[in-house]
Amino acid sequence: MIPAQLFCWHFMAYPHLPADFDEKYDSGWVTVPNELWDSEKSKGLYQEYIDQLALADRLGFDGVVLNEHHQNVYGLAPSPNLIAAALTQVTSHGKIVVLGNLLPLHMNPLRVAEEYAMLDMMSGGRIIAGFAPGGGPETFNYDIPSAPSREKFWEALDLIVRAWTEDGPFIHEGRHYPLRYVNPWPQPLQKPHPPIWVPGSRSPGTLIECAKRGYCYFLSSRSHGAATGQAREQFTKVLEDHGRKYHPLRMGILLSAYVGTDDQTAREECQEGVWYFLKNLLKGHLRTEGRQLTFGPGVPYIPTKAWRQYLETSKPGRKLLGDAENWEELDRSNSILVGGPDTVFERLKNLVDNSQVGNLLIQFHLGNMPNDLTCASMERFATQVAPRLRAYSAKLFAQRFPHMEDELARAEAAQ
Amino acid sequence: MTGRVIEAAGRDVALFEAGDGAPLVYLHGFADLHGVAADPFPFHQALARDRHLYAPAHPGCAESAEYGDLSTVEDAVYHYLEVLDALEIDRFDLVGHCMGGWIAAELAVRHPRRVASLTLIGASGLFVTGAPIGDVFMMAQPERGIDYAGLRRMLFQGGDTKLARALFPDGRADLDDEMRRYQMLRFASFIGFKPPYFYNRSLVNRLHRVTCPALVIWGAEDRMVPRAHGEAYADGLKGSNGLEIIAGAGHAAHLEEPEKVAGLIGDFLS
């Protein structure tokens, strides 16, 4: 039986913002003045974060997750591959998921193929290769035109997979990345290539392209209401259209958790980090206050027809995750699960029940959360939540997706 | 004034026409016919006073088809050559605003003999050191999810006038207007984002090839394309008699002061 896969995601937030940041600054993204960066205070910060991920590996998480962001206070890993390289040396069991390299920001996709191949060799075949086209902030940060970015993304990703699976040198006659000699050394250890994950926010284009190629679809939403289950239904349908069958490890979701000894102390311990995260780090991203850059008419990557559908079904100015004003509102968004081990288990159990998604990517470090609290929460999760969740989900998946085990075994045998 | 959809090189192109006389081609910007509104403004009516006005919508805008091969301003110029052929227009007066002005200038430097006169209103297209073109994409992301004051301020001198608010209201506008805005931003993102950012560094050195009479009109308070760009156009175009500044107007000078701008163009064309 195959349980839900539990990953520890670290966003590597900037924790030293002034107390009046929200009052004084419009955004935590793109235009947030970098005079706020304090090198002295930040000495050892990357080491602290890497140590937390190494701890996750020792605690038996199925993997650790990194991602790429630029010019912001939300995530200090503009080059997640550098962190992944460090992690290959201090972890030994779990996967290292880079979710993902933002392809349109790279001049040449070959560089990404090469770096992932290096990481796969350095980690003994533990890399999960994530790829993303980049969202609104990246458009502004790296001057990436939105409209053609999806087309560029899929050309780059298909080229990388060819570079990993076809003998070189060969000529790539692509529109955006024409190359005369595609012949990367080294090649990845995993065959035919490392697992590929692609994030999306339910846009039909991404669902279809992932289904065609059999890639894992990572739903990038941080909140999990009815839409999460709907995304899984959509993906199930699209997979069927392409001759594939859904099972829970074909999809991943992102959530955050804080596990305390009980509900009351959990809230007390994490509240500073949680509200720092919501009010400061999500400002400009998942908060309406200020100017939200992630999605909208100024980053017109969505095809015209799909934009009309979006307008028809959405309300302007609707509340986003970072607009939550109190714990009750926050709890309703099913984004940050806070409580004692029983509460967090129950809420995760419901989430797995409702979503039937098997890759759970969980953020433990929130905002300016101190190291000791972060580590203690991860330890409680690993010892008091994870075992129950694994047992529960394995049974559930075996019942609902009887084909899953065979299919994954076949995939393994093919390697 | 009538609208129709024509075919040029196999692509649908939405087109407004009005008036009789020698052909005048108008290429639109953001705050403009096709860019945000379905109907022509008084300014466009005035252009048709003694000309046959042709006002096509850019690829992907209004009912014009989007097409995948469009990625540079050069592609837009060749698109318009196809449109001109479809309309059987050989020589014409050319007027453009904002991005439409950029495309008009690029067309004129390549085919100077076909352009009888060139009028630019708040045209992008040039690179001017120290005077960057405003970030319309960032301003198109509303504040608090609903507030387009930043966009209005970029496009109009009086950011909160009745006209600015009618065209770019807060919250959700009429769905079709929202779509036109989005389509225009998408078109801009295809050809105007990178490289370069609404400019072509080579254009300034080609302007001398335009020998026809030229008129360069700028809103005194243009916060999208700084006045320095108007001065550079007026300097570079041989047929220009200097920059015409419209007091009390911003980037969308032709909508804010339609009589003054149309009057200048009318005098220039006669």
Side-chain angles (χ1 to χ4, degrees):
Chain A
M1 291 206 295
I2 297 159
Q5 302 292 295
L6 307 175
F7 295 85
C8 174
W9 191 330
H10 211 306
F11 285 80
M12 314 209 149
Y14 184 66
H16 303 304
L17 293 173
D20 58 359
F21 177 81
D22 187 22
E23 270 159 64
K24 278 202 177 152
Y25 299 91
D26 301 341
S27 184
W29 295 73
V30 184
T31 53
V32 53
N34 64 4
E35 66 178 12
L36 293 175
W37 169 265
D38 188 324
S39 294
E40 271 309 306
K41 278 188 188 166
S42 303
K43 265 188 196 165
L45 187 64
Y46 283 111
Q47 194 57 54
E48 181 179 311
Y49 291 166
I50 288 168
D51 289 347
Q52 288 171 7
L53 291 171
L55 172 67
D57 192 60
R58 291 198 301 279
L59 289 171
F61 279 85
D62 296 295
V64 296
V65 191
L66 308 164
N67 65 344
E68 173 176 343
H69 284 296
H70 299 261
Q71 310 201 115
N72 75 103
V73 293
Y74 170 96
L76 299 176
S79 175
N81 298 354
L82 291 181
I83 307 290
L87 288 171
T88 62
Q89 306 304 300
V90 295
T91 62
S92 50
H93 305 292
K95 302 281 187 191
I96 299 170
V97 189
V98 184
L99 192 55
N101 276 223
L102 304 178
L103 292 178
L105 278 64
H106 288 264
M107 251 170 62
N108 191 329
L110 267 188
R111 177 62 175 247
V112 180
E114 291 165 342
E115 289 191 5
Y116 272 149
M118 286 175 73
L119 288 169
D120 205 42
M121 294 307 303
M122 289 164 73
S123 66
R126 292 186 289 126
I127 286 295
I128 290 179
F131 299 93
E138 288 74 34
T139 298
F140 296 105
N141 278 326
Y142 265 54
D143 246 6
I144 304 299
S146 303
S149 67
R150 267 50 187 171
E151 186 188 295
K152 286 177 82 169
F153 171 77
W154 286 107
E155 182 188 323
L157 178 44
D158 288 344
L159 168 62
I160 289 166
V161 173
R162 265 188 85 194
W164 284 342
T165 52
E166 280 181 34
D167 293 337
F170 64 81
I171 297 178
H172 174 65
E173 297 177 319
R175 173 161 180 218
H176 299 287
Y177 305 102
L179 286 163
R180 188 177 290 277
Y181 304 105
V182 181
N183 190 29
W185 289 68
Q187 288 281 304
L189 181 62
Q190 297 178 83
K191 298 296 171 198
H193 56 73
I196 291 174
W197 291 14
V198 174
S201 46
R202 292 180 62 199
S203 84
T206 310
L207 286 163
I208 290 169
E209 298 303 326
C210 281
K212 265 190 210 164
R213 296 166 177 80
Y215 299 160
C216 176
Y217 181 75
F218 163 70
L219 181 69
S220 58
S221 171
R222 276 185 167 273
S223 304
H224 299 290
T228 300
Q230 286 161 11
R232 186 251 312 142
E233 283 165 23
Q234 261 176 294
F235 195 45
T236 303
K237 166 101 189 33
V238 175
L239 280 165
E240 276 166 15
D241 294 343
H242 293 87
R244 296 179 204 272
K245 233 172 155 177
Y246 178 81
H247 63 68
L249 297 191
R250 286 196 183 276
M251 247 182 99
I253 50 175
L254 160 63
L255 58 140
S256 310
Y258 186 84
V259 187
T261 50
D262 58 66
D263 290 358
Q264 183 61 28
T265 50
R267 272 194 188 180
E268 283 164 14
E269 284 168 356
C270 76
Q271 63 179 351
E272 193 190 337
V274 166
W275 295 100
Y276 180 102
F277 169 75
L278 292 170
K279 294 302 160 197
N280 298 339
L281 308 188
L282 294 188
K283 196 171 192 181
H285 174 39
L286 291 174
R287 224 184 131 189
T288 49
E289 196 59 40
R291 176 173 276 119
Q292 181 274 113
L293 296 177
T294 299
F295 181 78
V299 284
Y301 57 80
I302 295 175
T304 301
K305 230 194 240 165
W307 182 253
R308 183 178 274 272
Q309 283 164 2
Y310 165 75
L311 290 179
E312 281 167 350
T313 54
S314 68
K315 263 203 200 120
R318 76 187 165 87
K319 277 198 166 189
L320 301 171
L321 176 61
D323 296 319
E325 292 300 333
N326 51 52
W327 284 106
E328 287 63 41
E329 276 183 39
L330 185 59
D331 281 347
R332 273 201 298 276
S333 70
N334 241 341
S335 172
I336 305 178
L337 313 183
V338 173
D342 293 346
T343 301
V344 173
F345 168 67
E346 283 302 322
R347 293 190 65 186
L348 277 167
K349 175 173 163 280
N350 288 338
L351 186 59
V352 170
D353 259 337
N354 294 332
S355 68
Q356 298 172 40
V357 171
N359 291 308
L360 304 182
L361 282 49
I362 308 170
Q363 171 188 22
F364 289 91
H365 178 265
L366 282 151
N368 59 353
M369 188 173 283
N371 183 53
D372 57 336
L373 292 181
T374 310
C375 294
S377 162
M378 284 164 57
E379 277 167 23
R380 283 183 207 106
F381 181 89
T383 55
Q384 299 175 59
V385 180
R388 282 190 274 176
L389 191 60
R390 288 197 171 106
Y392 177 82
S393 58
K395 233 170 111 184
L396 177 84
F397 294 164
Q399 277 168 6
R400 292 202 194 156
F401 305 95
H403 61 282
M404 175 175 175
E405 202 148 336
D406 283 351
E407 204 170 303
L408 289 168
R410 271 202 306 276
E412 189 130 328
Q415 294 223 350
Chain B
M1 197 125 190
T2 54
R4 60 176 170 135
V5 175
I6 63 161
E7 207 184 283
R11 296 186 289 268
D12 282 354
V13 179
L15 177 73
F16 262 106
E17 284 172 279
D20 293 310
L24 183 154
V25 174
Y26 179 76
L27 301 180
H28 66 91
F30 288 93
D32 216 335
L33 167 68
H34 302 311
V36 63
D39 297 320
F41 292 86
F43 167 75
H44 305 103
Q45 312 274 16
L47 286 182
R49 216 167 280 155
D50 52 11
R51 288 288 191 283
H52 184 140
L53 169 68
Y54 297 89
H58 299 313
C61 294
E63 284 76 43
S64 290
E66 187 170 299
Y67 73 105
D69 288 340
L70 184 86
S71 65
T72 63
V73 72
E74 178 88 3
D75 296 326
V77 168
Y78 276 86
H79 168 79
Y80 280 112
L81 291 174
E82 302 287 0
V83 173
L84 291 165
D85 284 355
L87 293 168
E88 297 178 352
I89 296 172
D90 179 35
R91 207 152 180 273
F92 51 97
D93 293 302
L94 182 55
V95 182
H97 164 59
C98 183
M99 284 190 78
W102 176 19
I103 299 166
E106 296 274 5
L107 186 59
V109 298
R110 285 168 178 78
H111 299 277
R113 287 187 197 94
R114 292 182 69 178
V115 180
S117 74
L118 177 66
T119 300
L120 304 177
I121 309 157
S124 57
L126 296 182
F127 174 78
V128 179
T129 305
I133 294 170
D135 190 351
V136 72
F137 295 102
M138 186 171 275
M139 289 305 116
Q141 292 292 96
E143 288 190 80
R144 295 188 305 286
I146 51 164
D147 181 343
Y148 287 97
L151 185 59
R152 290 192 295 267
R153 209 184 116 71
M154 178 164 278
L155 299 179
F156 299 89
Q157 191 272 330
D160 273 334
T161 55
K162 213 174 134 193
L163 173 71
R165 280 187 166 278
L167 296 178
F168 297 92
D170 287 337
R172 181 68 46 80
D174 172 78
L175 192 63
D176 292 328
D177 289 350
E178 287 266 0
M179 287 308 299
R180 268 185 288 276
R181 261 158 55 172
Y182 186 75
Q183 289 166 270
M184 180 62 196
L185 284 159
R186 226 173 121 75
F187 169 70
S189 177
F190 272 118
I191 74 158
F193 207 108
K194 185 208 177 175
Y197 201 109
F198 289 139
Y199 61 73
N200 172 5
R201 278 188 100 117
S202 304
L203 179 57
V204 71
N205 295 326
R206 298 174 180 170
L207 287 179
H208 70 91
R209 300 182 58 78
V210 182
T211 47
C212 64
L215 176 62
V216 185
I217 301 173
W218 233 259
E221 306 286 331
D222 191 328
R223 284 182 286 262
M224 179 160 164
V225 187
R227 193 195 288 202
H229 292 243
E231 284 156 5
Y233 269 122
D235 284 350
L237 292 167
K238 279 186 188 161
S240 153
N241 287 323
L243 184 62
E244 294 283 356
I245 296 293
I246 306 295
H251 180 61
H254 62 316
L255 303 191
E256 292 183 291
E257 293 289 348
E259 280 165 33
K260 275 192 210 161
V261 175
L264 279 172
I265 298 173
D267 293 347
F268 169 68
L269 291 178
S270 61

